[in-house]
Amino acid sequence: MFTGLVEEVGVMRGVSSKGEAMILHIEASRIMGDLKIGDSVSVNGVCLTAVEIGARSFAVDVMPQTYRHSSLKSLGAGSRVNLERAMQVGARFGGHIVQGHADGTGTIRAMDRDQNAVLIEVEPEETALLRYIIPQGSITLDGISLTVVKTSATTFTVSIIPHTLAETSLADKKPGSVLNLECDILGKYVDHLLHYRTGEGNGRPEPSGISLELLAEHGFA
């Protein structure tokens, strides 16, 4: 599990690929101190496993499922990527609960100055994701924990402070850039409870029968 607070921006030193399977070779410094083979690392918001460790670089595997549903396929030598190690028990929880499981991708439609901030408007590839994205709620863009400031029928907008822009790969992005999106896990679980239960004997989805009134009665809504 991660918090969406990027520790450093690494640099891609190479990509080994065969079909939709990839190995990413990433140069880093800050996270290398205690990184071990088998550790989880968020790379642009995608939880990957370290399979090789060098003095100033590490390698991670990307399986076909991840290749198909994230923007990692577009990375090449020289690409800058956001890096975060898995959170430690007892550490400050500065962002929100981030799994590193990308729900899909989104395309930047606009970037506009708002005094000292930058407003970034993003259109999800799958509009169904917008059901989980609400104003003042949390969203992860390329592994960065951000707050949604507004939504529309097809897009959502986040506001970026100068520090976040300078310390992450968002500084490299522009309209047309594709980002990995992870919606708030709490919203996804609530939606699942409201709309799904296992049908008896066949395992097929059926309406759960859980109403907002019932959730409110038990203090959950």
Side-chain angles (χ1 to χ4, degrees):
M1 188 171 72
F2 308 91
T3 68
L5 298 186
V6 174
E7 294 188 82
E8 71 170 304
V9 177
V11 179
M12 293 289 303
R13 288 308 179 205
V15 178
S16 305
S17 60
K18 185 176 182 180
E20 295 181 331
M22 305 169 67
I23 299 178
L24 309 180
H25 301 269
I26 304 169
E27 181 180 317
S29 56
R30 188 177 304 168
I31 72 167
M32 297 302 299
D34 63 353
L35 191 65
K36 305 181 296 297
I37 290 177
D39 282 355
S40 295
V41 182
S42 171
V43 179
N44 273 1
V46 180
C47 179
L48 301 173
T49 300
V51 295
E52 297 177 15
I53 305 290
R56 290 186 55 82
S57 66
F58 66 101
V60 290
D61 277 325
V62 177
M63 61 183 177
Q65 174 73 7
T66 305
Y67 178 96
R68 297 180 196 122
H69 295 281
S70 73
S71 65
L72 296 181
K73 63 176 74 70
S74 65
L75 295 176
S79 296
R80 301 198 322 143
V81 291
N82 297 319
L83 302 176
E84 181 189 356
R85 289 168 290 186
M87 70 176 295
Q88 293 180 313
V89 175
R92 287 188 175 89
F93 204 134
H96 71 283
I97 297 173
V98 177
Q99 293 184 300
H101 302 164
D103 292 306
T105 60
T107 301
I108 296 177
R109 292 307 179 203
M111 299 179 74
D112 300 299
R113 282 282 176 187
D114 182 16
Q115 298 184 50
N116 70 331
V118 175
L119 296 175
I120 299 181
E121 183 183 24
V122 180
E123 180 179 1
E125 181 181 7
E126 298 181 24
T127 55
L129 293 182
L130 288 165
R131 69 192 298 171
Y132 307 119
I133 303 172
I134 64 173
Q136 313 313 318
S138 297
I139 185 75
T140 307
L141 302 185
D142 268 2
I144 306 165
S145 173
L146 297 168
T147 300
V148 178
V149 297
K150 65 179 178 179
T151 61
S152 73
T154 57
T155 67
F156 67 92
T157 301
V158 295
S159 183
I160 311 296
I161 62 173
H163 175 80
T164 302
L165 199 62
E167 296 297 323
T168 69
S169 65
L170 282 180
D172 306 330
K173 306 303 181 182
K174 57 186 179 181
S177 295
V178 178
L179 308 171
N180 292 317
L181 307 181
E182 182 182 335
C183 301
D184 189 349
I185 184 62
L186 299 180
K188 290 186 284 187
Y189 272 119
V190 169
D191 182 70
H192 183 83
L193 287 170
L194 286 171
H195 298 99
Y196 181 95
R197 73 174 174 85
T198 302
E200 293 181 6
N202 56 28
R204 291 181 298 189
E206 295 180 359
S208 68
I210 300 176
S211 66
L212 288 176
E213 291 78 8
L214 181 61
L215 288 176
E217 181 182 337
H218 291 82
F220 292 104

